[in-house]
């Protein structure tokens, strides 16, 4: 933290970038901020009218009468798919490439806007034929594919609410989401291909549907990707290519209120149960479009590449909706950054002449490592001169990784947008504007125009710059979370807590603003949420999974810093049968890792496992997690342990397996 605050390298936007930029100076940025300050409703109304096609224009901008259940543009009607596809075809972009899809094995297929529109219409018609209506929930459990995007857009077209579940989640995680969201259909694939290996999808869906509570599922639609052998249940399962075969290439969109839910995306919180983050149509889409223009400075000739998966919010905003809504050409990648070798990203940038590249710090760090002793996969072995802008997302980017990215990938010529945001915010919140903001490595710099981000203390009072605190947003913004599906109380408690006065949006991160520049630096989560490789994991989720194992009596989960993944998951376990040692301990540690992998998904597998006869507790029986964090880091405990009931336990917990 100290080192970060003392970072004094400043990188100014390059002159030729500034020339054509959407926001070409700090004056232009300040002007937009001032416009929002002066007339908040007017600012958002202007942008919503300029950027979205409204079937029926809205008459009211922001409705705060049921705060914090804010409503934006509510009496306006629109359709997200229409705004992404029809609009562009009508503008004459029908023959423009919408998607350059590169498969795991390097095969490339391009789709134009006209083709995309036709494919989405066919799929939308097929869904309607199955009886799926506006407001119904559809689970999408697919890998990265044109078909995955078609499935999402087809739902949007008919007003069905999609809930994409990342293809790495287990049958149990999938079933929990199917049940919570009350889905009536699942769209999936036979298998997915990653790094040359087929991995199951349909088999997992089949298993999920046997776990109970999924009786509402009437249809399972399967995209044939690998041709792998899968069972098809008659009357329930159908192939995607069959259901679209005879459908019309036109489909009247469902005109929905701007407040109609576009999607629900589950994310981890402070309890064992994931939260179904509910987003709107109009406000969400507006911000996806504006951030494409402001943060990514998108231009008609750009080749935009966001490496995220459609299973995360980044894939929703910056693959499925944002790039298409601005008529861009984007790269969609099925595979992994290390196959066939760790030069895959650089090779693809060179091959497709990508101009904007948006990825996660964890990927950058692993590629730094992989190329440190292998010239062939180092970015300098590729022609990356097409790039003009880089982006980073998902976790703090450390200054070393920032510098490497800037110099080796961006050729010291491309600005880096370090975009801070969350599943709940719908789009970027704090980020440099590449044609305006001087960049300081490790800082996400300043809030975007219209975003009233601030730092407060535990009572909700502003803290001065230079003093750390809690990151909040003071006013509602169009793309904010609307609700937690099925749990409005949790929505209010999680995001608008009484302790802070009930009106501030609580992001869940700590932050500090620089004394001189007022730039924000994110200091990490302040709740029981870990960030592992840019993926959010609740410690409580992993704890409840562990204690569900028949061997386990008690478990506590904390994070520790990790060079590659940002944070690593460390678990402390008390077994029912006493503390195992030697090979026994190793065997059980592996068993528990696999258990978590099976129950939640491989992304939740603990890195370190430690066994004790007990956990360090206070006399009242409270687990002292701060001590566990110190042990997890491998450091000596220098803190006060006088309230600890059982200090002898600490010695046992030192051994990590
Ligand atoms: C959490 C949100 C944003 C889409 C992908 C992750 C952390 C995200 C940054 C950044 C520092 C960041 C925060 C945030 N985070 N971006 N640029 N700098 N931290 O979405 O899974 O909802 O996670 O990721 O801790 O709260 P998510």
């Amino acid at each position: 933290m100290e080192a970060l605050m003392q970072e004094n390298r400043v990188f100014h936007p390059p002159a030729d970038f500034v020339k054509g930029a959407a926001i070409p100076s700090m004056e232009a940025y300040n002007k937009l901020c001032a416009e929002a300050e002066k007339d908040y409703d007017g600012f958002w109304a202007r942008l919503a009218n300029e950027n979205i096609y409204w079937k029926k224009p809205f008459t009211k901008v922001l409705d705060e009468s049921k705060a914090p259940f804010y409503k934006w543009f509510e009496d306006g009607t629109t359709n997200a798919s229409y705004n992404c596809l029809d609009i562009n075809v009508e503008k004459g972009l029908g023959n423009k490439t919408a998607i350059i899809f590169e498969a795991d094995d390097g095969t490339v297929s391009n789709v134009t806007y006209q083709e995309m529109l036709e494919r989405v219409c066919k799929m939308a018609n097929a869904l309607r034929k199955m009886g799926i209506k506006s407001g119904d929930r559809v689970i999408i459990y697919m890998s990265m594919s044109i078909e995955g995007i078609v499935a999402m857009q087809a739902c949007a077209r008919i007003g069905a609410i999609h809930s994409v579940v990342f293809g790495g989640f287990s049958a149990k995680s999938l079933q929990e989401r199917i049940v919570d969201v009350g889905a009536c259909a699942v769209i999936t694939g036979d298998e997915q291909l990653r790094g040359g290996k087929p991995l199951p999808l349909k088999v997992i869906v089949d298993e999920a549907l046997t776990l109970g509570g999924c009786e509402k599922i009437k249809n399972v639609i399967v995209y044939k990707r690998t041709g792998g052998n899968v069972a098809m249940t008659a009357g329930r399962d159908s192939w995607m290519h069959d259901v679209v075969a005879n459908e019309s290439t036109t489909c009247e969109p469902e005109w929905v209120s701007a407040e109609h839910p576009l999607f629900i995306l589950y994310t981890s919180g402070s309890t064992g149960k994931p939260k179904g983050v509910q987003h709107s149509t109009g406000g969400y889409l507006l911000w996806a479009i504006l951030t494409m223009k402001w943060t990514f400075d998108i231009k008609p000739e750009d080749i935009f590449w966001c490496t995220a998966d459609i299973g995360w919010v980044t894939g929703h905003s910056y693959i499925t909706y944002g790039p298409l809504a601005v008529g861009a050409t984007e790269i969609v990648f099925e595979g992994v950054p290390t196959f066939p070798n760790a030069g895959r990203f650089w090779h693809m940038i060179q091959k497709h002449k990508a101009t904007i590249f948006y990825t996660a710090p964890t990927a950058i760090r692993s590629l730094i490592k992989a190329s440190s002793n292998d010239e062939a996969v180092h970015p300098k072995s590729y022609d990356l001169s097409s790039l003009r802008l880089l982006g980073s997302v998902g976790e703090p980017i450390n200054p070393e990784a920032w510098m490497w990215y800037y110099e080796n990938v961006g050729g010291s010529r491309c600005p880096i947008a370090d975009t801070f945001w969350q599943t709940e915010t719908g789009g970027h919140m704090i980020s440099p504007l590449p044609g305006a903001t001087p960049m300081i490595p490790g800082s996400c710099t300043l809030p975007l125009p219209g975003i009233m981000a601030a730092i407060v203390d535990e009572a909700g009072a502003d803290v001065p710059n230079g003093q750390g605190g809690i990151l909040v947003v003071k006013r509602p913004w169009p793309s904010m979370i609307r609700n937690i599906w099925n749990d409005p109380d949790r929505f209010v408690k999680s995001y608008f807590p009484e302790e802070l006065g009930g009106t501030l949006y609580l992001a869940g991160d700590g932050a500090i603003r620089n004394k001189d520049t007022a730039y924000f630096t994110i200091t990490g989560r302040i709740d029981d949420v870990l960030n592992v490789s840019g993926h959010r994991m609740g410690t409580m989720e992993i704890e409840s999974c562990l204690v569900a194992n028949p061997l386990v009596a008690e478990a506590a989960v904390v994070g520790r810093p990790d060079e590659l993944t940002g944070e690593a998951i460390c678990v402390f376990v008390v077994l029912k049968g006493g503390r195992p040692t030697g090979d026994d301990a190793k065997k059980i540690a592996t068993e528990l890792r696999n258990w978590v992998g099976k129950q939640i998904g491989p992304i939740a597998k603990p890195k370190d496992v430690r066994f004790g006869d007990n956990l360090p507790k206070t006399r009242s029986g409270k687990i002292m997690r701060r001590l566990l964090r110190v042990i997890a880091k491998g450091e000596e405990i220098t803190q006060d342990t006088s309230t600890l009931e059982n200090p002898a336990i600490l010695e046992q917990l030192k051994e990590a397996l």
Side-chain angles (χ1 to χ4, degrees):
M1 213 35 244
E2 281 290 286
L4 262 183
M5 292 317 288
Q6 276 158 22
E7 175 68 58
N8 51 18
R9 286 171 288 194
V10 182
F11 296 85
H12 291 274
D16 48 334
F17 194 103
V18 173
K19 245 187 273 156
I23 302 182
S25 63
M26 286 308 277
E27 290 70 46
Y29 164 72
N30 289 327
K31 205 173 147 214
L32 279 166
C33 294
E35 185 190 344
E37 282 289 347
K38 197 163 154 246
D39 175 10
Y40 202 61
D41 277 21
F43 170 77
W44 290 114
R46 172 177 76 76
L47 293 167
N49 282 318
E50 286 172 5
N51 287 284
I52 289 198
Y53 170 82
W54 297 98
K55 180 74 172 173
K56 176 170 158 282
F58 56 88
T59 61
K60 187 164 172 49
V61 183
L62 168 63
D63 177 357
E64 305 191 70
S65 61
K66 296 196 182 71
F69 298 92
Y70 298 101
K71 307 256 190 286
W72 285 91
F73 322 117
E74 193 181 11
D75 65 347
T77 66
T78 186
N79 179 283
S81 156
Y82 186 87
N83 273 277
C84 291
L85 304 173
D86 309 59
I87 286 278
N88 289 312
V89 172
E90 282 162 26
K91 279 188 197 153
L93 298 178
N95 290 326
K96 180 174 179 173
T97 302
I99 296 174
I100 301 169
F101 175 73
E102 180 158 323
D104 190 58
D105 70 357
T107 312
V108 175
S109 29
N110 289 357
V111 202
T112 64
Y113 272 91
Q114 178 67 41
E115 287 162 351
M116 212 38 209
L117 173 61
E118 291 176 4
R119 289 174 70 165
V120 168
C121 285
K122 281 173 157 247
M123 183 67 181
N125 287 327
L127 295 178
R128 270 192 181 142
K129 196 168 273 175
M130 290 172 182
I132 300 172
K133 305 177 304 298
S134 183
D136 287 349
R137 277 82 58 208
V138 175
I139 289 274
I140 298 178
Y141 186 66
M142 297 176 83
S143 54
M144 290 298 293
S145 52
I146 294 168
E147 287 71 12
I149 299 169
V150 167
M152 293 166 80
Q153 289 271 352
C155 288
R157 195 161 189 94
I158 64 169
I161 305 165
H162 59 68
S163 186
V164 183
V165 177
F166 175 61
F169 277 116
S170 68
K172 184 159 170 288
S173 296
L174 177 60
Q175 175 250 3
E176 281 165 7
R177 285 157 176 77
I178 291 172
V179 173
D180 190 76
V181 88
C184 66
V186 179
I187 309 176
T188 187
D190 52 357
E191 295 178 312
Q192 51 185 329
L193 264 182
R194 284 172 79 79
K197 284 192 232 47
L199 294 166
L201 283 173
K202 176 65 163 62
V203 168
I204 295 177
V205 171
D206 289 341
E207 188 188 338
L209 295 181
T210 62
L211 296 178
C214 301
E215 297 72 27
K216 275 200 185 147
I217 298 288
K218 294 285 173 282
N219 286 284
V220 176
I221 304 156
V222 189
Y223 160 53
K224 188 177 256 181
R225 171 64 188 95
T226 64
N229 196 13
V230 294
M232 298 291 276
T233 301
R236 187 194 72 184
D237 302 352
S238 47
W239 292 104
M240 196 170 188
H241 59 260
D242 286 337
V243 298
V244 299
N246 297 318
E247 291 303 333
S248 158
T249 53
T250 61
C251 171
E252 178 62 16
E254 183 84 18
W255 298 106
V256 297
S257 155
E259 277 300 318
H260 183 77
L262 178 61
F263 66 87
I264 296 160
L265 184 60
Y266 284 84
T267 190
S268 296
S270 298
T271 73
K273 193 171 177 271
K275 309 187 264 201
V277 173
Q278 180 187 322
H279 276 288
S280 71
T281 299
Y284 169 81
L285 193 63
L286 174 61
W287 198 232
I289 293 171
L290 286 173
T291 49
M292 284 303 298
K293 293 185 175 178
W294 291 351
T295 315
F296 292 133
D297 191 51
I298 194 81
K299 297 282 184 290
E301 53 289 349
D302 272 318
I303 309 284
F304 178 82
W305 185 15
C306 165
T307 68
D309 191 285
I310 53 168
W312 310 113
V313 74
T314 310
H316 285 59
S317 303
Y318 302 110
I319 294 178
T320 301
Y321 293 109
L324 298 180
V326 296
T329 296
E330 64 171 327
I331 297 169
V332 173
F333 178 41
E334 180 182 42
V336 296
T338 49
F339 177 82
N341 61 48
R344 185 69 182 266
F345 277 177
W346 325 132
H347 181 249
M348 282 181 62
I349 291 170
Q350 169 181 293
K351 176 168 162 192
H352 301 296
K353 300 199 164 44
T355 60
I356 304 175
F357 180 64
Y358 189 37
T359 196
T362 192
I364 298 167
R365 286 192 299 265
S366 73
L367 297 177
I368 293 175
K369 192 169 173 213
S371 63
S372 66
N373 50 16
D374 186 356
E375 285 269 302
V377 298
H378 193 281
K380 69 178 179 229
S381 304
Y382 299 81
D383 176 6
L384 305 182
S385 59
S386 57
L387 288 173
R388 65 181 198 96
L389 174 61
L390 302 173
S392 170
V393 59
E395 54 184 310
I397 177 162
N398 46 307
E400 302 72 51
W402 195 101
M403 283 308 304
W404 185 91
Y405 195 31
Y406 185 75
E407 289 172 351
N408 295 289
V409 182
S412 302
R413 141 193 107 248
C414 307
I416 299 179
D418 173 2
T419 60
F420 168 84
W421 60 296
Q422 311 175 293
T423 304
E424 293 87 343
T425 68
H428 307 150
M429 298 297 277
I430 309 180
S431 171
L433 296 170
T437 320
M439 292 160 290
I440 295 182
S443 169
C444 51
T445 74
L446 297 168
L448 297 190
I451 302 300
M452 308 300 181
I455 302 180
V456 299
D457 64 19
E458 259 140 47
D462 286 309
V463 304
N465 290 353
Q467 195 177 311
I470 299 168
L471 180 64
V472 296
V473 186
K474 293 194 160 181
R475 298 225 53 192
W477 68 100
S479 68
M480 70 193 293
I481 174 176
R482 291 301 193 271
N483 204 348
I484 292 178
W485 187 257
N486 275 338
D487 207 343
D489 289 343
R490 189 175 179 198
F491 168 73
V492 178
K493 285 200 188 96
S494 306
Y495 301 112
F496 298 91
E498 260 327 303
E499 298 84 327
L500 298 181
T503 62
L504 303 176
Y505 167 82
L506 174 72
D509 285 283
I512 184 167
R513 298 186 77 160
N514 185 283
K515 258 203 181 114
D516 307 319
T517 58
Y519 278 12
F520 286 76
T521 292
I522 306 298
T523 54
R525 299 288 304 193
I526 53 168
D527 52 11
D528 295 319
V529 170
L530 305 182
N531 191 323
V532 184
S533 300
H535 298 148
R536 231 160 109 172
M537 284 305 324
T539 54
M540 299 305 285
E541 254 171 272
I542 305 170
E543 282 176 22
S544 44
C545 169
L546 283 167
V547 296
N549 183 290
L551 297 175
V552 176
E554 212 178 354
V557 177
V558 300
R560 67 154 168 84
D562 182 274
E563 246 186 36
L564 282 184
T565 58
E567 276 190 294
I569 301 167
C570 307
V571 310
F572 294 83
V573 184
V574 180
L575 294 183
K576 285 176 186 157
R579 179 171 183 260
T581 50
D583 284 348
D584 231 20
K586 279 195 193 125
K587 204 182 113 238
I588 300 176
T590 307
E591 229 176 280
L592 293 181
R593 275 194 192 95
N594 292 339
W595 168 265
V596 176
K598 180 89 182 68
Q599 297 288 309
I600 302 177
I603 51 172
K605 275 192 181 182
K607 184 133 185 188
D608 305 341
V609 181
R610 294 162 199 262
F611 294 106
D613 288 319
N614 201 343
L615 296 172
K617 288 178 189 155
T618 61
R619 278 176 201 104
S620 59
K622 201 167 173 297
I623 298 172
M624 294 181 76
R625 282 168 201 276
R626 63 181 170 88
L627 296 183
L628 294 180
R629 283 190 202 102
V630 177
I631 298 171
K633 275 195 226 164
E635 290 173 0
E636 285 303 319
I637 293 173
T638 53
Q639 310 177 17
D640 179 18
T641 52
S642 55
T643 54
L644 185 60
E645 161 110 306
N646 48 357
I649 277 318
L650 300 178
E651 207 45 47
Q652 291 185 348
L653 296 173
K654 278 189 179 161
E655 189 195 359
L657 299 164

